Structures are given as structure tokens and as C-alpha cells.
């Protein structure tokens, strides 16, 4: 049995393409699940802040933010958001940019590392993205984050203490430093087995193809090692 394929994902919970990319990856994995030799994977999410200078409480909506942050005309921003909403819908997501509360995401990233330490990172990632993009919940304040943490099974007081004391902030910074070392400038960014980089929210079949190729390569390497071992045994 080959070791699982490692999939390291750099993303920001406030990145619309990251949620779409997450769904597409999940769909790609579902497509391979019925293979005779289905790829086995181990997924880890890593922190990346798209707009670290954003205030916790931004005064305005998503159009206000993007128009100011990117210097784009408001009508162009509105069209861009409509396009993203359509792509998200095709991935099974109902984005509500009219409800979205733009905020600083560093605390959300700290929470993801808290959840990771308790084996709940995947559940926390999904809960944060859903809260932000589809429910209009605030994900930048400690009180709101603790409520979401409890929903996935984390202890309220322990989570509040860790967020208040910034216990996992060094882990967030370490992720960001690794992203810089890899040369990652945008997210989502997927690193497969520490060797192959995939940038952007690729289609589900693209993920399925890459995973099948890597898994087949793993199987061939295992077979070659077995042959070499048999030959060495025979020589002895």
C-alpha cells in the first residue's frame, strides 16, 4: 500500500476562488473514488492572507472594498462579482456578496491552526468559508469565531484563550513564510507531494487527472522496488 498523496493547500477563507477550488478538488476526489485503485490523499490547509491590512470591521460592502483596494470602477467590480457568483454556483455554492462582511482574516487563520491541533481543520475550514461567503457572518472577531468553533466541536474557553493570547499566530506566520519560499503570490495554490504546484481553482477533472497520474507513478515505483528486492534476495 502506497503512502497517501499529500495535498498542501494555501488559501484564505476570504478568497472566493479558494472555496471554489476546494469544492472542485472534492469533486475530483469523488470522481476517483470508484477507481479500482483509488488515490488516497492527505489534505492540509495553510494560511495565506490576501489583504492583511484590512481592518477587522470594514465600513462598506464588497463592492466598496474591491473598488477601493483594486482601484476598479464600481460597475466593473459588480460584473466581476456576478461572474464569480456564477462560477461558484456551478461548483454547488451559493455566494451572497450582498451579505458578506469584509474583515481581516488573521484570527480566522489562527482558528484553523487551533482546529488542526484537534483534528478538526477540514471541518473548520468548511465552516469558516460557508459562514463568510454564503451566510454573511463576521469571521474576524474573536466572539464570532468562538461561536463557529463550538459548532465544529472545539471547546469555547480554550479556543477563546488561544485566540486572545495569539498562541497559534507563529504557525500562521510559518505558513506564510513557506508560501513565500515557494514563490506563491496568489491563492488557491495546491502543492502535490511537495513537488507539483497547481495554481488556481482548476476544474474537478484536472484535479482527478493529476491525482490519478501521481498515484499511478507511486504504484509503479512500489512495483519497481519490489522487483529490485526480489532480485537482491535471489542473488543472496
Amino acid at each position: 500500500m502506497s503512502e497517501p498523496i499529500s495535498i498542501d493547500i494555501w488559501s484564505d477563507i476570504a478568497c472566493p476562488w479558494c472555496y471554489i477550488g476546494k469544492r472542485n478538488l472534492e469533486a475530483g476526489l469523488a470522481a476517483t473514488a470508484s477507481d479500482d485503485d483509488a488515490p488516497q490523499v492527505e489534505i492540509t490547509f495553510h494560511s495565506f492572507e490576501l489583504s492583511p491590512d484590512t481592518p477587522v470591521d470594514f465600513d462598506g460592502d464588497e463592492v466598496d472594498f474591491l473598488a477601493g483596494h483594486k482601484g476598479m470602477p464600481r460597475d466593473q467590480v459588480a460584473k466581476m462579482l456576478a461572474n464569480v457568483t456564477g462560477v461558484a454556483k456551478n461548483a454547488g455554492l451559493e455566494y451572497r456578496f450582498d451579505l458578506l462582511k469584509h474583515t481581516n482574516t488573521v484570527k480566522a487563520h489562527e482558528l484553523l491552526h487551533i482546529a488542526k491541533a484537534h483534528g478538526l481543520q477540514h471541518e473548520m475550514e468548511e465552516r469558516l468559508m460557508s459562514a463568510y461567503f454564503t451566510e454573511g457572518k463576521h469571521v474576524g472577531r474573536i466572539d464570532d469565531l468562538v461561536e463557529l468553533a463550538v459548532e465544529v466541536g472545539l471547546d469555547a474557553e480554550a479556543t477563546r484563550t488561544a485566540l486572545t493570547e495569539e498562541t497559534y499566530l507563529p504557525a500562521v506566520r510559518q505558513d506564510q513564510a513557506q508560501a513565500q519560499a515557494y514563490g506563491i503570490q496568489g491563492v488557491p495554490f495546491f502543492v502535490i507531494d511537495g513537488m507539483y504546484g497547481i495554481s488556481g481553482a482548476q476544474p474537478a477533472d484536472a484535479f482527478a487527472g493529476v491525482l490519478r497520474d501521481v498515484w499511478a507513478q507511486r504504484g509503479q515505483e512500489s512495483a519497481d522496488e519490489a522487483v529490485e528486492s526480489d532480485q537482491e534476495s535471489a542473488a543472496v
Side-chain angles (χ1 to χ4, degrees):
M1 176 68 70
S2 299
E3 289 293 318
I5 298 170
S6 66
I7 305 178
D8 292 281
I9 308 172
W10 271 263
S11 66
D12 193 342
I13 61 95
C15 161
W17 294 105
C18 293
Y19 201 7
I20 293 168
K22 178 176 180 293
R23 274 294 182 275
N24 288 350
L25 172 62
E26 291 166 353
L29 286 169
T32 68
S34 59
D35 291 0
D36 290 338
D37 185 19
Q40 302 300 305
V41 304
E42 185 174 279
I43 300 172
T44 304
F45 291 96
H46 298 275
S47 303
F48 191 101
E49 290 180 88
L50 284 173
S51 303
D53 57 343
T54 304
V56 172
D57 292 299
F58 177 75
D59 185 18
D61 61 16
E62 187 70 354
V63 176
D64 294 326
F65 176 80
L66 290 175
H69 188 71
K70 295 184 178 295
M72 298 167 58
R74 292 181 63 85
D75 61 341
Q76 185 179 349
V77 171
K79 290 178 182 178
M80 183 180 70
L81 293 180
N83 175 64
V84 174
T85 299
V87 176
K89 189 169 186 177
N90 289 335
L93 299 168
E94 296 291 337
Y95 279 5
R96 292 294 306 271
F97 286 110
D98 57 322
L99 301 177
L100 188 148
K101 295 179 175 61
H102 205 85
T103 186
N104 189 289
T105 60
V106 68
K107 284 296 177 188
H109 285 295
E110 290 179 43
L111 178 55
L112 285 170
H113 279 280
I114 295 170
K116 179 183 177 183
H118 292 84
L120 293 169
Q121 188 191 43
H122 291 194
E123 293 84 350
M124 197 73 256
E125 181 86 13
E126 177 65 29
R127 189 66 194 97
L128 284 167
M129 286 182 160
S130 176
Y132 186 74
F133 283 110
T134 73
E135 303 168 41
K137 291 182 178 293
H138 203 298
V139 297
R141 299 181 299 231
I142 290 178
D143 286 346
D144 299 280
L145 290 171
V146 169
E147 288 183 11
L148 295 174
V150 170
E151 289 182 24
V152 304
L154 292 173
D155 179 76
E157 290 310 309
T159 300
R160 183 182 301 278
T161 297
L163 288 173
T164 301
E165 297 181 356
E166 300 183 342
T167 307
Y168 288 86
L169 183 58
V172 173
R173 300 305 183 215
Q174 184 176 358
D175 277 352
Q176 293 169 331
Q178 184 62 64
Q180 187 174 17
Y182 278 146
I184 299 172
Q185 298 181 333
V187 289
F189 195 91
F190 305 80
V191 177
I192 312 297
D193 267 357
M195 296 184 292
Y196 311 103
I198 300 175
S199 179
Q202 299 297 321
D205 57 356
F207 283 117
V210 169
L211 294 174
R212 284 176 173 135
D213 288 346
V214 173
W215 194 246
Q217 182 180 339
R218 286 279 196 84
Q220 185 59 52
E221 290 172 353
S222 296
D224 291 344
E225 290 174 0
V227 170
E228 289 179 7
S229 178
D230 289 343
Q231 291 175 340
E232 290 174 358
S233 297
V236 173

